[in-house]
Each structure stands twice: as C-alpha cells, then as structure tokens.
Amino acid sequence: LLAQREGHTELGVALAEGANLSPAVVVCEMLDDETGEALSPADARAYANRHGFAYLEGREVLERCR
C-alpha cells in the first residue's frame, strides 16, 4: 500500500497492520481553535505532549514499515 501512496490513510493502515490490528483506522486533522487552520507539526507535538498522547511523524511510520 505504501509503495503506491504515502498519505495519512495509508500510513494509518500500515500502522494498524504493524501492530497486528485490523487495518481499519480513523484519520483526523488537528485544527487550531482560533484560526480553524491545521496545526503545524510543532503545535501538534506540543498538544500531544501536554495531554500525554503519542505523536508520530509519517516518516517515522515509513521507516519502521520498510
């Protein structure tokens, strides 16, 4: 799947399959409360850190799946 396209959906499916889970995922965009624009990677990482969530960049998923 990742050989054809490296989008959010494909990365999510690869992540689920890598964890031996069913390849069904929900992908969502994190938006800024004030502007409605997508969060920058730095802001998304900061949010994850504040709330105790894991944060992965797409390239990290690719590195582990190849």
Side-chain angles (χ1 to χ4, degrees):
L1 186 63
L2 289 173
Q4 297 169 335
R5 187 168 184 277
E6 297 175 355
H8 291 94
T9 302
E10 292 81 8
L11 289 166
V13 170
L15 189 59
E17 288 178 337
N20 292 320
L21 298 171
S22 177
V25 297
V26 174
V27 179
C28 65
E29 187 89 32
M30 294 178 72
L31 303 177
D32 183 272
D33 286 340
E34 294 178 19
T35 67
E37 299 290 322
L39 289 182
S40 69
D43 288 341
R45 183 181 295 278
Y47 181 91
N49 288 338
R50 278 194 311 275
H51 297 282
F53 297 140
Y55 179 88
L56 294 171
E57 293 276 346
R59 64 179 160 69
E60 294 174 272
V61 176
L62 288 172
E63 289 170 5
R64 297 204 182 248
C65 290
R66 290 191 170 151

